[in-house]
Amino acid sequence: MSEQVGELLPPTRLMLTPGPSSMDPRVYRALATPLVGHLDPWFMEMMGDVQVLLRRVYRTENRVTFPISASGSGGIEAAVLNPLESGDEAIVCVNGWFSERMAHIAERTAARVIRVEAPYGRAVDPEDVRRAAKGRKIKLVGLAHGETSTGVAQRLDDFRKVADELGALLVVDAVATLAGLPLEVDRQRIDICFSGSQKAISAPPGMAPITVNAGVEEVLRARKSKVQSWYFDLTTTMNYWGKERTYHHTPPISLIYGLREALRLVLEEGLEARWERHRQNQQALVAGLEAMGLELFVSNPADRLITVSSVRVPEGVDDVRVRRQLLDEFNIEIAGGFGPLKGQVWRVGLMGYSCQRGNVLLFLAALEKVLLEQGFKVPAGAGVGAAVRASLAAPESVTIGNRK
Ligand SMILES: *Cc1c(COP(=O)(O)O)cnc(C)c1O
């Protein structure tokens, strides 16, 4: 670093990735408001607003509902480390990279972990969980509602039923789904649910909202040993987010401002309207991709995750070059595959503020140009045409940013 470091000037990208998503200008504004101390009476009161908003977005009355100061992975740590201790047995449903991460984290505890797997691109069969449990005392069943690495969604109600039969807690990774598709913690009786700030909520990365019900609080009180992580121990963090507001650690105050505004915008739009917007735009995207001759990685449409669509990279097309050109020429970022899907798929996220009809059309048009230059034949305007027709069929046009 010999020369003077210049002004910070990030490019203006459209993030169509599985997170982070692009942010509403009002969230940027919230981030730039004055810093106060984390024990300032004003801030402590504002924390209460964040919790009220979070409960509404999660559709829960749970007392223990707050953002953990960590990315989504920190949410997994908290959700798994808090209930598990020596002598426990847990089932983790593994059908991709993030549910695998939950298994890895659970395996670091003293509990015994049973993996119930499904091939990448498929949903886990709740029947397999039943079979794997056979007569065992299972403390929890964990799964990813939306498996972002493959673009697969799980039907939570089926797993609730199995967990009830087993007398187990249901632990749900909703990092990729909260505020993007239907999820109601109390009605669906999810015991522990966590998310990430940077996906369908469209706040900056760095916060993992979590909610746990009274039954889980009971389980935590009954622990014989201490939670193996000090930082993620919910019983002590809750003293800061609870009535006492006792210092635990310094939270990322500016990020909490951003999260507050993003949650407020989720509720201003309305959860149902937001879910519908995500559904409509995903349908338009899928129609466009298929009309271009591309193949969705998840073959069963009912298993497809609304917020992230995975598409097979066509034969003879260079995965990295396509993504690089989308970025350089159009300022659009999409994601590649990882783990066993590296080089095999593209993952296109339509989450939160990024999930707009105009973005779907722009992306399909840009992809057509890039694919043509790579020698992949696309009928002229096929993707955009199909997406426009899919949108026409939609019962109502849901747009964000336009006040009525
Ligand atoms: C993104 C994601 C995570 C990890 O979140 P980070 O913020 O990257 O730590 C975990 N689970 C799912 C389903 C995700 O989509």
Side-chain angles (χ1 to χ4, degrees):
M1 204 166 60
S2 51
E3 303 298 317
Q4 204 182 333
V5 175
E7 189 188 346
L8 179 71
L9 281 172
T12 306
R13 307 287 201 205
L14 170 59
M15 269 100 79
L16 299 182
T17 61
S21 51
S22 296
M23 296 197 310
D24 190 296
R26 288 173 283 179
V27 177
Y28 285 108
R29 221 152 50 208
L31 290 173
T33 52
L35 195 68
V36 298
H38 57 290
L39 299 173
D40 188 302
W42 179 86
F43 185 71
M44 293 204 276
E45 196 150 325
M46 194 277 264
M47 289 164 66
D49 297 343
V50 174
Q51 290 178 284
V52 166
L53 294 169
L54 263 183
R55 287 190 190 102
R56 288 187 195 149
V57 171
Y58 268 124
R59 295 250 160 114
T60 184
E61 307 272 311
N62 288 343
R63 184 184 77 93
V64 179
T65 304
F66 68 95
I68 295 172
S69 312
S71 76
S73 304
I76 312 181
E77 297 263 354
V80 166
L81 299 185
N82 278 278
L84 290 183
E85 60 184 325
S86 172
D88 291 338
E89 294 199 77
I91 288 182
V92 179
C93 302
V94 177
N95 64 335
W97 195 259
F98 290 109
S99 42
E100 173 105 43
R101 182 169 297 176
M102 187 188 279
H104 283 312
I105 292 170
E107 283 157 4
R108 289 184 181 211
T109 68
R112 177 161 184 273
V113 178
I114 303 162
R115 291 172 176 231
V116 174
E117 306 194 358
Y120 277 31
R122 302 258 281 277
V124 173
D125 185 350
E127 201 52 52
D128 288 343
V129 174
R130 227 174 242 123
R131 252 192 299 275
K134 47 174 189 284
R136 295 174 186 285
K137 177 83 201 81
I138 301 296
K139 179 93 164 264
L140 69 80
V141 173
L143 76 160
H145 185 205
E147 180 43 85
T148 328
S149 66
T150 60
V152 170
Q154 300 275 5
R155 278 174 284 278
L156 296 179
D157 296 344
D158 298 344
F159 290 91
R160 177 67 270 177
K161 240 173 106 194
V162 180
D164 277 339
E165 289 164 26
L166 302 176
L169 300 172
L170 183 64
V171 176
V172 173
D173 173 342
V175 174
T177 53
L178 182 68
L181 51 136
L183 175 76
E184 301 181 69
V185 164
D186 284 0
R187 195 185 59 72
Q188 297 182 289
R189 294 191 300 111
I190 302 166
D191 298 294
I192 302 180
C193 193
F194 60 90
S195 190
S197 47
Q198 80 275 29
K199 307 224 175 172
I201 296 171
S202 284
M207 306 238 72
I210 192 165
T211 185
V212 314
N213 64 22
V216 174
E217 285 192 65
E218 199 53 52
V219 168
L220 299 187
R221 269 194 292 275
R223 279 185 68 106
K224 290 183 222 58
S225 57
K226 283 194 170 148
V227 176
Q228 79 191 63
S229 161
W230 179 86
Y231 193 74
F232 291 113
D233 185 339
L234 291 177
T235 56
T236 49
T237 348
M238 242 344 257
N239 292 335
Y240 178 56
W241 281 93
K243 266 204 306 292
E244 306 81 8
R245 297 275 193 262
T246 321
Y247 168 74
H248 179 265
H249 65 273
T250 310
I253 293 157
S254 303
L255 297 188
I256 294 175
Y257 292 169
L259 180 64
R260 180 192 186 280
E261 180 61 5
L263 292 170
R264 199 186 66 75
L265 294 174
V266 168
L267 294 164
E268 179 185 277
E269 179 179 13
L271 274 175
E272 271 88 3
R274 196 174 177 93
W275 297 337
E276 180 59 15
R277 168 164 65 83
H278 281 78
R279 196 188 64 79
Q280 288 182 14
N281 287 326
Q282 180 254 8
Q283 290 196 337
L285 174 70
V286 168
L289 292 169
E290 287 181 335
M292 290 168 77
L294 296 167
E295 193 190 340
L296 273 284
F297 176 67
V298 179
S299 46
N300 180 2
D303 288 343
R304 286 179 192 154
L305 178 58
I306 298 274
T307 45
V308 180
S309 300
S310 49
V311 198
R312 287 186 193 276
V313 177
E315 200 74 47
V317 170
D318 184 331
D319 160 38
V320 177
R321 267 179 62 191
V322 166
R323 284 189 285 126
R324 186 72 214 204
Q325 195 180 341
L326 284 170
L327 194 66
D328 291 343
E329 197 176 339
F330 296 99
N331 267 315
I332 296 174
E333 188 191 0
I334 63 165
F338 45 33
L341 297 182
K342 191 170 192 294
Q344 310 283 307
V345 297
W346 291 309
R347 295 176 306 133
V348 185
L350 288 176
M351 292 176 155
Y353 192 72
S354 288
C355 180
Q356 298 185 43
R357 184 174 289 179
N359 293 342
V360 173
L361 301 184
L362 173 65
F363 167 68
L364 291 168
L367 184 64
E368 177 174 335
K369 173 169 192 283
V370 174
L371 286 177
L372 285 172
E373 286 177 6
Q374 289 258 334
F376 181 80
K377 298 272 180 296
V378 181
V384 170
V388 165
R389 277 155 192 80
S391 312
L392 283 177
E396 63 180 308
S397 146
V398 185
T399 327
I400 59 173
N402 299 343
R403 261 345 76 57
K404 293 198 190 80

